[in-house]
Amino acid sequence: MITTDALAVLFSLVNSSKREWKPLEDHSCTDVPWLLLFILFCIGMGFICGFSIATGAAARLLSGYDSYGNICGQKNVKVEGIVNSGLDLTQKKYVFFLDPCNIDLVHQKIKSIALCVSACPRKELKSLADIQKFAETNGSTLCSYELQPSEYTTDPRAAKLCPKYPVPESAPIPFFHRCAPVNISCYAKFAEALITFVSDSSVLHRLISGVMTSKEIIMGLCLLSLVLSMILMVIIRYISRVLVWILTILVILGSLGGTGVLWWLYAKQRISAGAHETQIAKDNLQALLIYAIAATVFTVIMLLIVLIMRKRVALTIALFHVAGKVFIHLPLLVFQPFWTFFVLIVFWTYWITVLLFLGTTGSPVPNEEGFVEFRMAGPLKYMWWYHVVGLIWISEFILACQQMTVAGAVVTYYFTREKRNLPFTPILASVNRLVCYHLGTVAKGSFIITLVKIPRMILMYIHTQLKGKENACARCMLKACICCLWCLEKCLTYLNQNAYTATAINSTNFCTSAKDAFVILVENALRVAAINTVGDFMLFLGKVLIVCSTGLAGIMLLNYQRDYTIWVLPLIIVCLFAFLVAHCFLSIYEMVVDVLFLCFAIDTKYNDGSPGREFYMDKVLMEFVENSRKSMKEAGRGGGAEGRELKPMASGASSS
């Protein structure tokens, strides 16, 4: 009896997995409860913002406050037990720190007395006499409120209640009314405390000065990486058939050429180096040697990978060709990274602003030193945890909306037989379907990613805090857990993207779509490994090409400044920005290829080319099906797993 029931359940599961796909035939709302939950969560985020503003945090953040709880630029209420509180500071609108460079890294604040002043010192003050003269001339008292300007040079308390001199030249921060030192040496000392691997502070000062000196070159190279990414997208649109081979050849030539140039520059500088060369020249020579060795190792690895994968490169050409056609019919896809990045920047700005509000929210409480701190009591002090979860979930929600938009547009393109019948703007039509029907699905998928991200971030934070204190076994276990969670996150992200594609096709809920997509991917496991992996590798070569081109241009330009600036930091900044830009643009192309592959797998499974079950695919993909069938027959007469996997393709191809 139990065996019969088990077989019945298994039979029903198998039948459910064979449910017919009906692309774009019906649209219905999906995962509505999750949309309501997401809306309630966003209302909670809004409550945190409103609470922080209502409790005066906005005024304290924007106008600033002193160490006694007084808000600068207005009349204040007396704080019980705190001297110098409740003052009328209407004429004193700026916050001035007696020792602005004394930064407490543990508690993440400036460890200094803060006062409200009427003007920031616009020139360096080297003694108490200069501070007294500044107060008499400008009417801005830089010492504590209980000292009169006439007492600055006579009162013994001045050493504690007046600023540490020399007082650096400072200027008010726009909109935030804080006096900030103009000289970056203060921030360089702060960076020295953060960067533990820098033992010689002079190295850090030279790095910072190198960035400041090369800022025009850095901006120009960042713009170059953006232009190169746009050009590569245009190339993908119009010459996708030969793109794979062009990228492979260019990357090989670029790697060999870049490596050769680095060794040539190193040899040239080594020969021309004199006995009295500067420290900066020595640093640049050492950096060139490191770059040359790293480039040589990278080139060797790249050549080996290309050699191993050369037989599978041709398998991606068909999908790349169709993806190029998609961008021709849907040119607005190129601009998706801009809109997503803009929305993310707006949200992150809002999130940081509210976080700053939370940092100044609460009731005034005297601390151990007799000054005022604002702290929240009770459950409200945990609001920032809610705020952090909101950062992750809403950011993932925005990225998932982009994935669903791209999936909906590509699905519309693939399953429209007559391309002239496409909607006027398939992207806007996809956005409309997303907003009207599938926001709940996006909210659920992004929440699943959030559930994995939060434990990984907590473990990373614990690992950072315990660095140097835990034993080897605990360190190994922490790293293993972090690695496993990272792999799980990447797998779920890939499955989510395919689930969004399934939702765009059939308008099914997230779990149903994820199951359907997973079944399709498992049935086509070898094709996923062959086509997707090689395709991603080709796009990675495109990113490498952009980074190498930008980096090579940076080396040639920075070479003219080798006597007075260090290359390391400017070149790292440029290469990181170039990779980020290339990743943003080519990830859209990668997404299109993944969506096309799932549509193609569904098409070959449920259609065979017969009347009433015609293929939706492009002619290039039909040729790909036929070539795959022939190669599978030649490799083995359907005896292996790969042969069984390609049976739907073979039947479809023979019918066509």
Side-chain angles (χ1 to χ4, degrees):
M1 188 69 179
I2 296 176
T3 305
T4 306
D5 291 341
L7 289 175
V9 171
L10 180 62
F11 182 74
S12 63
L13 289 174
V14 172
N15 284 340
S16 64
S17 67
K18 293 184 178 180
R19 181 178 50 79
E20 287 291 329
W21 292 67
K22 299 179 180 179
L24 304 176
E25 290 187 9
D26 188 24
H27 298 295
S28 58
C29 295
T30 55
D31 296 296
V32 176
W34 280 92
L35 176 59
L36 297 177
L37 179 63
F38 182 74
I39 292 174
L40 290 175
F41 183 85
C42 291
I43 292 174
M45 294 283 290
F47 168 78
I48 292 176
C49 178
F51 172 80
S52 60
I53 294 175
T55 53
R60 286 193 288 270
L61 175 65
L62 296 177
S63 300
Y65 61 97
D66 62 14
S67 296
Y68 308 102
N70 300 301
I71 299 177
C72 300
Q74 69 180 49
K75 294 182 179 180
N76 294 275
V77 180
K78 178 72 175 178
V79 178
E80 194 66 31
I82 298 296
V83 296
N84 295 327
S85 63
L87 301 178
D88 183 0
L89 301 175
T90 308
Q91 303 301 321
K92 299 183 177 182
K93 299 181 178 180
Y94 302 102
V95 179
F96 175 76
F97 297 95
L98 300 189
D99 189 5
C101 296
N102 186 7
I103 300 174
D104 186 354
L105 296 178
V106 176
H107 299 93
Q108 300 175 358
K109 64 180 181 180
I110 299 176
K111 194 176 181 180
S112 169
I113 298 176
L115 302 173
C116 294
V117 299
S118 56
C120 301
R122 293 307 185 107
K123 64 178 182 179
E124 187 179 61
L125 307 177
K126 299 181 179 180
S127 64
L128 285 174
D130 291 341
I131 297 173
Q132 185 182 48
K133 184 179 179 181
F134 177 80
E136 294 172 349
T137 304
N138 299 279
S140 182
T141 56
L142 302 183
C143 295
S144 188
Y145 303 129
E146 58 261 34
L147 283 182
Q148 298 299 320
S150 58
E151 301 174 328
Y152 286 1
T153 55
T154 59
D155 196 311
R157 297 178 299 168
K160 181 179 180 181
L161 300 179
C162 288
K164 181 181 178 181
Y165 52 85
V167 179
E169 176 188 357
S170 60
I173 301 175
F175 307 111
F176 288 97
H177 301 90
R178 269 79 167 177
C179 296
V182 175
N183 195 331
I184 64 169
S185 61
C186 176
Y187 308 115
K189 293 178 182 178
F190 172 60
E192 289 169 19
L194 288 178
I195 306 174
T196 56
F197 64 85
V198 178
S199 57
D200 182 8
S201 61
S202 62
V203 175
L204 184 60
H205 283 279
R206 292 199 301 271
L207 288 174
I208 295 177
S209 64
V211 173
M212 299 302 294
T213 305
S214 310
K215 56 182 180 297
E216 293 84 4
I217 294 178
I218 293 174
M219 294 177 63
L221 291 172
C222 291
L223 181 62
L224 174 64
S225 65
L226 181 63
V227 172
L228 289 176
S229 299
M230 296 291 291
I231 292 175
L232 188 58
M233 293 298 293
V234 173
I235 292 175
I236 288 175
R237 285 184 56 185
Y238 292 105
I239 57 171
S240 58
R241 184 178 290 273
V242 295
L243 174 66
V244 174
W245 302 112
I246 290 177
L247 282 178
T248 304
I249 294 172
L250 285 179
V251 167
I252 293 174
L253 294 178
S255 299
L256 293 173
T259 304
V261 168
L262 284 171
W263 282 111
W264 174 73
L265 287 174
Y266 172 73
K268 181 180 177 182
Q269 290 197 27
R270 182 74 179 271
I271 294 173
S272 62
H276 303 288
E277 62 180 353
T278 63
Q279 181 62 37
I280 291 179
K282 292 180 180 178
D283 292 337
N284 284 330
L285 186 64
Q286 185 178 5
L288 269 178
L289 178 60
I290 295 173
Y291 290 154
I293 294 174
T296 302
V297 174
F298 175 80
T299 301
V300 171
I301 295 175
M302 185 69 64
L303 290 175
L304 290 176
I305 293 176
V306 171
L307 183 65
I308 293 171
M309 302 187 72
R310 71 188 188 281
K311 293 183 179 180
R312 294 187 180 273
V313 168
L315 298 178
T316 63
I317 294 179
L319 279 177
F320 269 65
H321 180 74
V322 178
K325 289 186 177 180
V326 171
F327 280 97
I328 292 175
H329 286 87
L330 312 177
L332 291 180
L333 279 177
V334 179
F335 299 100
Q336 280 300 116
F338 288 108
W339 309 128
T340 305
F341 184 71
F342 174 75
V343 175
L344 283 174
I345 287 296
V346 170
F347 169 68
W348 289 342
T349 303
Y350 161 82
W351 188 86
I352 292 174
T353 303
V354 176
L355 183 66
L356 294 175
F357 285 165
L358 288 176
T360 56
T361 299
S363 303
V365 178
N367 61 12
E368 300 80 8
E369 300 173 354
F371 300 122
V372 169
E373 291 182 357
F374 292 91
R375 298 175 184 172
M376 288 184 292
L380 293 178
K381 64 182 179 181
Y382 300 108
M383 283 196 301
W384 71 276
W385 279 103
Y386 189 97
H387 196 57
V388 170
V389 174
L391 169 68
I392 302 174
W393 191 4
I394 297 178
S395 298
E396 290 296 327
F397 177 83
I398 295 171
L399 294 173
C401 285
Q402 172 181 269
Q403 294 175 350
M404 179 68 86
T405 300
V406 173
V410 176
V411 164
T412 301
Y413 170 84
Y414 188 95
F415 289 106
T416 302
R417 297 187 187 278
E418 295 293 333
K419 305 308 178 189
R420 65 174 67 96
N421 296 331
L422 283 170
F424 178 69
T425 52
I427 296 291
L428 294 181
S430 179
V431 171
N432 181 63
R433 288 198 302 271
L434 167 64
V435 174
C436 293
Y437 302 108
H438 305 315
L439 284 178
T441 298
V442 171
K444 186 174 183 179
S446 57
F447 181 76
I448 292 174
I449 301 297
T450 304
L451 287 181
V452 180
K453 270 185 177 290
I454 292 176
R456 183 168 67 88
M457 294 177 66
I458 293 174
L459 290 178
M460 290 175 65
Y461 176 77
I462 294 174
H463 182 265
T464 304
Q465 294 299 310
L466 297 179
K467 195 170 185 180
K469 300 178 182 179
E470 78 279 15
N471 56 38
C473 182
R475 183 169 60 251
C476 181
M477 290 181 63
L478 270 177
K479 290 184 177 180
C481 291
I482 292 172
C483 181
C484 291
L485 287 173
W486 181 84
C487 294
L488 177 62
E489 180 186 333
K490 294 303 177 183
C491 293
L492 288 176
T493 300
Y494 181 73
L495 182 61
N496 277 12
Q497 181 179 322
N498 286 280
Y500 299 147
T501 304
T503 298
I505 295 173
N506 266 354
S507 283
T508 49
N509 291 331
F510 177 83
C511 291
T512 304
S513 300
K515 184 196 70 172
D516 294 341
F518 181 75
V519 169
I520 292 293
L521 293 175
V522 169
E523 291 176 349
N524 297 271
L526 293 179
R527 278 187 273 175
V528 171
I531 298 173
N532 255 15
T533 303
V534 176
D536 292 347
F537 176 70
M538 290 299 106
L539 294 176
F540 171 73
L541 291 184
K543 299 173 188 177
V544 171
L545 175 63
I546 293 173
V547 173
C548 288
S549 301
T550 307
L552 184 60
I555 290 174
M556 302 304 293
L557 290 174
L558 292 171
N559 184 46
Y560 293 101
Q561 297 184 345
R562 63 186 181 187
D563 292 330
Y564 58 90
T565 183
I566 292 182
W567 294 2
V568 179
L569 200 54
L571 201 59
I572 290 176
I573 292 173
V574 167
C575 290
L576 287 177
F577 185 84
F579 182 81
L580 177 64
V581 170
H583 176 74
C584 288
F585 279 92
L586 294 182
S587 63
I588 295 296
Y589 196 86
E590 181 180 348
M591 208 178 300
V592 170
V593 171
D594 289 339
V595 175
L596 283 174
F597 178 75
L598 187 64
C599 295
F600 168 72
I602 294 169
D603 195 13
T604 55
K605 181 175 181 179
Y606 291 98
N607 297 307
D608 56 9
S610 61
R613 299 184 65 182
E614 296 86 357
F615 286 120
Y616 288 94
M617 69 182 68
D618 190 270
K619 291 182 179 179
V620 176
L621 288 177
M622 290 186 182
E623 294 176 2
F624 177 76
V625 171
E626 182 63 26
N627 292 336
S628 298
R629 180 184 67 84
K630 290 179 180 179
S631 63
M632 288 302 103
K633 282 186 176 181
E634 292 173 0
R637 300 290 178 175
E642 194 169 0
R644 291 194 300 271
E645 184 193 40
L646 288 169
K647 280 184 178 179
M649 294 178 62
S651 63
S654 61
S655 300
S656 61

